[in-house]
Structure formats: C-alpha cells, structure tokens
Amino acid sequence: MGLLLPLALCALVVCCGAAPPTQQAPSPSPLLSHSCNSSYVLEVANFVLQDINRNRKDGYVLSLNRVSDVREHRQGDLGSLFYYTLDVLETDCHVLSRRSWKSCSVRYLHLSVYGQCKAIFYINEARRIFYLAAYNCTLRPVSQLAIVRMCPDCPGPAGLSEPRVWEAVTESLAEYNSRSTSKYSLVKITKASSQWVTGPAYFVEYLITESPCAISQASSCALQSSDSVPVGLCKGSLNRNEDDDTEKLVWVTCEFFKSQVPTPGGQNATANQGPTNLPKEEEPRQKNTARADSPAKAVPEGAIRCLPSLDDEDSGQSQGKGPVEAFPVQLDLTTNPQGEPLDVSFLLLKPVEEELVVLPFPSKEQRSAECPGPAQNANPLILPP
C-alpha cells in the first residue's frame, strides 16, 4: 500500500506535464480583397460588363452602377481569377446594337430596371488573356408603388399584349414606313408604358426586320416570325385626344444595328478587344492590348433572370409564402470549399493541360470593408440590398 501512493503521484505528474492536443488553425482564405473604388477594379469591371453584354442575344445593355464586391484568387504563373459582384442598371440600348454601355443612357427612374450580376473573370496578363468564365444576373423593375407616391403622373409599365400597345406599334411603324424607302415589319415588342396626357398615351419599343411585303400588303404582313433577324430598334408613341378619339399624335424614331462582321475564329471583331491601360495596384502589372483568340468553347456560361417587381412578390408574403430574397443570384461552379479544377488549356494555346482552381463564390458576409463602392445613381429604389 505504501508503494501505491508514490506511483499514483508519479502518474499524475506525467499526465499534467503532457502537452494538450494541438488544434489545427483554420487555413487563411486564398481570396484577396480589393477596394471596390480602386481604378484597377473599376477598369476590370468595365470589361467584365462589356463581355456580359456581348454574350447576350436579347434584352437591353446593362450599365455599371457600382462594384458591390470583388475578390482575387492569384494562381502563380497562370494569373488570377476574379470574383465580381456588380450592381447594374438597364439602358435604352438593345444588346443587338453592340454599343458600349458607356455610350448608352440609363432609363428614367420611373421606368428603371435594376439588378445584380455575379461574374468569374480570368486574367493572365503575361499571355494577354481576359476571359469571362461564367456569369449570372438577376433584374427587377423599380417599385411602382414607390414611384406612384413620388410621381403620380409619371408613365408606368403597360402590358405588351394590351390592344392599345399593339395599336401604338402598328401606327408608329406605319408612320416610319410611310417616309422610308425600305419597308419594315415587326419582330417583337420589347417595352411598353402608358401615361395620361391630353388623353391616353402609349410609348413602345420594338424590334423590326426588313419586310418582304409590298406596300399594298402592309396590313397583312405587319408581323414577322420570331426567328427573323432584327435589323433595328424603333421607339414610338401614340397619343389620343380625350375629347376626340379620332385626333391622334404619332411619333417614331428607329435606330439600325451595325452589321457584325465575323472574324475567322467565328467571333465578332469586338470580342477580341481587351483592356488597353489597366492601372497598377499593389504590384507591377503589364499593360495589355488584346486577349487571346477564343475558340467556340470559350463562350462563357451565363444567364439573365428577369423577375417581377418586389411589389408583386411582397404581396405573396401575406399569403404565407415567407420573405422574398430580393436578388437571388447564384454562381457556384463548385460547392467544394477546397475548390475544383477549371480547365483553361484552350485559352493558353499550348499542347499541355493547364488548370486553375475555382472556389465557391464568396458570400455577402465575406465582403471587404472597402466595398461596396460609390454608386453612379445612389437612389435606394434602384440599389440592390
């Protein structure tokens, strides 16, 4: 018994002196933060948005309102992957015009369409590669309840299938054809709004194509099939007098799209233009004049999702549908926190395989303290939360 006590004490000393089990510290995120207002970030954002607009075949050109967030994942000699979140506004230029968003005007507040885009953009400056790997955007019209409170007499959206809308299209297109040597037919109505002036006034926008019909057939050949190639966008209006419905005022103007001459690689000539003067930030960067020629498989994955006004969805909450996420933009090429390989061999024009590591898109909670940046239009009605 006398020996047991010293042995027990020795065991206790050994246990107390043992080092506690080590806890592995979490590995730091490889994503680097930037200021959303830096000249470099804004210059790259410009080209991200240009590529998003260039990839689209329908809808209106989106303009940059502000950079909401940006992260960079540097990957050695292969360059960097950037994760951009952009707040955008719709302009009055159709995407088929191929105009730069900087040369387009955003819509008046009462007819605004606003939203958010997430994009993954690859830059390898040494090899002059600037490539939009993927994007997704969600858009909504501005709250009409808020607009009516601010401006009860402002024009409001009208249904594209309303008889008065079709009348405005038909009358304005007939007016344009009456003074044009070439004749055009309707392909698609893209926008419509209405307002009470001296009577009901309807404002319309629509795509047109060259008409195969003679002038005498105009009434029976007003609408072409939806797969017809649009050649221009018309904006027109029809205003009737309240006291005399036969008295009407018709206005119309049409903008024709520039022909897109394909390059030998099958892309538009403008698709090979890259940043020409990216400013320096944090470490030396090279100036670049072009991107690598991109084969057909380099077309980015992406979509534009158009949702109704939050006014319409908010009404569903009272019916037990729960809260509505204002801009549910998802862009996860992977959900693996360690990342997944992204093959970019086709961009590097080398016989060997080259892979980047793409990570899950960073959440809003991870946003840099220097983001979001200042907005071009800071009205809260057109800023995503």
Side-chain angles (χ1 to χ4, degrees):
M1 184 69 179
L3 291 174
L4 290 176
L5 182 59
L7 289 173
L9 291 173
C10 288
L12 183 61
V13 169
V14 171
C15 291
C16 292
T22 58
Q23 293 183 352
Q24 188 173 2
S27 58
S29 171
L31 297 179
L32 304 176
S33 298
H34 291 277
S35 166
C36 281
N37 196 37
S38 77
S39 55
Y40 180 79
V41 164
L42 291 173
E43 186 72 7
V44 174
N46 169 42
F47 290 100
V48 172
L49 196 54
Q50 279 193 7
D51 279 1
I52 290 175
N53 285 321
R54 187 178 295 124
N55 188 57
R56 299 167 58 205
K57 302 295 186 293
D58 192 25
Y60 289 82
V61 171
L62 300 176
S63 69
L64 179 64
N65 196 18
R66 70 177 178 184
V67 177
S68 185
D69 192 27
V70 58
R71 299 302 181 87
E72 180 184 3
H73 186 187
R74 293 177 181 168
Q75 307 196 29
D77 294 340
L78 287 180
S80 294
L81 272 181
F82 285 83
Y83 299 78
Y84 266 90
T85 303
L86 306 176
D87 292 343
V88 296
L89 293 170
E90 190 179 83
T91 70
D92 60 358
C93 299
H94 199 275
V95 293
L96 295 180
S97 70
R98 299 303 173 203
R99 290 175 60 181
S100 165
W101 65 267
K102 290 188 174 182
S103 67
C104 300
S105 301
V106 298
R107 297 189 179 276
Y108 293 115
L109 178 63
H110 55 272
L111 296 175
S112 289
V113 175
Y114 70 113
Q116 195 166 82
C117 295
K118 291 182 178 179
I120 298 177
F121 196 71
Y122 173 45
I123 297 182
N124 184 324
E125 296 187 4
R127 294 187 172 112
R128 300 188 301 170
I129 297 172
F130 303 87
Y131 170 59
L132 178 65
Y135 71 93
N136 274 329
C137 303
T138 298
L139 307 176
R140 290 186 187 272
V142 68
S143 165
Q144 285 302 305
L145 292 178
I147 294 298
V148 168
R149 286 194 292 266
M150 294 171 51
C151 178
D153 296 326
C154 284
L160 301 186
S161 60
E162 291 184 26
R164 285 296 182 94
V165 168
W166 280 88
E167 183 185 22
V169 170
T170 303
E171 293 273 2
S172 59
L173 183 54
E175 170 66 21
Y176 187 84
N177 279 333
S178 70
R179 59 179 194 244
S180 172
T181 54
S182 300
K183 304 306 170 189
Y184 301 94
S185 299
L186 172 68
V187 174
K188 180 183 179 182
I189 302 175
T190 56
K191 290 280 183 183
S193 59
S194 63
Q195 181 185 25
W196 191 269
V197 187
T198 57
Y202 284 81
F203 309 91
V204 290
E205 298 180 20
Y206 48 93
L207 295 171
I208 58 171
T209 190
E210 293 186 74
S211 176
C213 305
I215 297 177
S216 60
Q217 300 173 303
S219 60
S220 60
C221 192
L223 178 63
Q224 294 299 303
S225 62
S226 58
D227 59 353
S228 298
V229 178
V231 298
L233 178 75
C234 291
K235 301 176 182 179
S237 65
L238 175 62
N239 185 6
R240 290 190 178 275
N241 192 307
E242 179 184 12
D243 300 324
D244 183 0
D245 193 53
T246 61
E247 184 181 333
K248 58 187 178 182
L249 178 64
V250 179
W251 171 88
V252 65
T253 183
C254 296
E255 176 188 3
F256 291 88
F257 306 141
K258 294 180 180 179
S259 60
Q260 300 295 302
V261 181
T263 64
Q267 301 252 345
N268 292 335
T270 55
N272 291 324
Q273 299 301 311
T276 57
N277 189 14
L278 291 180
K280 298 179 181 179
E281 178 175 302
E282 298 181 358
E283 60 183 43
R285 299 178 182 264
Q286 298 181 10
K287 294 181 181 179
N288 306 283
T289 56
R291 78 176 72 199
D293 288 338
S294 301
K297 65 185 295 187
V299 174
E301 300 178 19
I304 305 291
R305 185 183 181 190
C306 299
L307 298 180
S309 166
L310 281 171
D311 299 338
D312 301 329
E313 293 203 357
D314 286 345
S315 63
Q317 295 185 39
S318 60
Q319 302 173 9
K321 294 184 179 180
V324 173
E325 184 180 356
F327 290 91
V329 190
Q330 301 297 326
L331 187 62
D332 283 327
L333 300 185
T334 177
T335 57
N336 183 351
Q338 303 304 316
E340 298 282 354
L342 179 66
D343 185 10
V344 292
S345 305
F346 63 94
L347 290 170
L348 302 174
L349 304 179
K350 295 172 62 178
V352 298
E353 290 189 4
E354 296 281 10
E355 292 181 338
L356 300 167
V357 176
V358 60
L359 298 172
F361 205 93
S363 66
K364 185 182 297 185
E365 290 71 23
Q366 299 172 287
R367 189 158 55 188
S368 165
E370 297 181 84
C371 293
Q376 297 294 318
N377 189 327
N379 193 307
L381 290 179
I382 50 176
L383 279 180

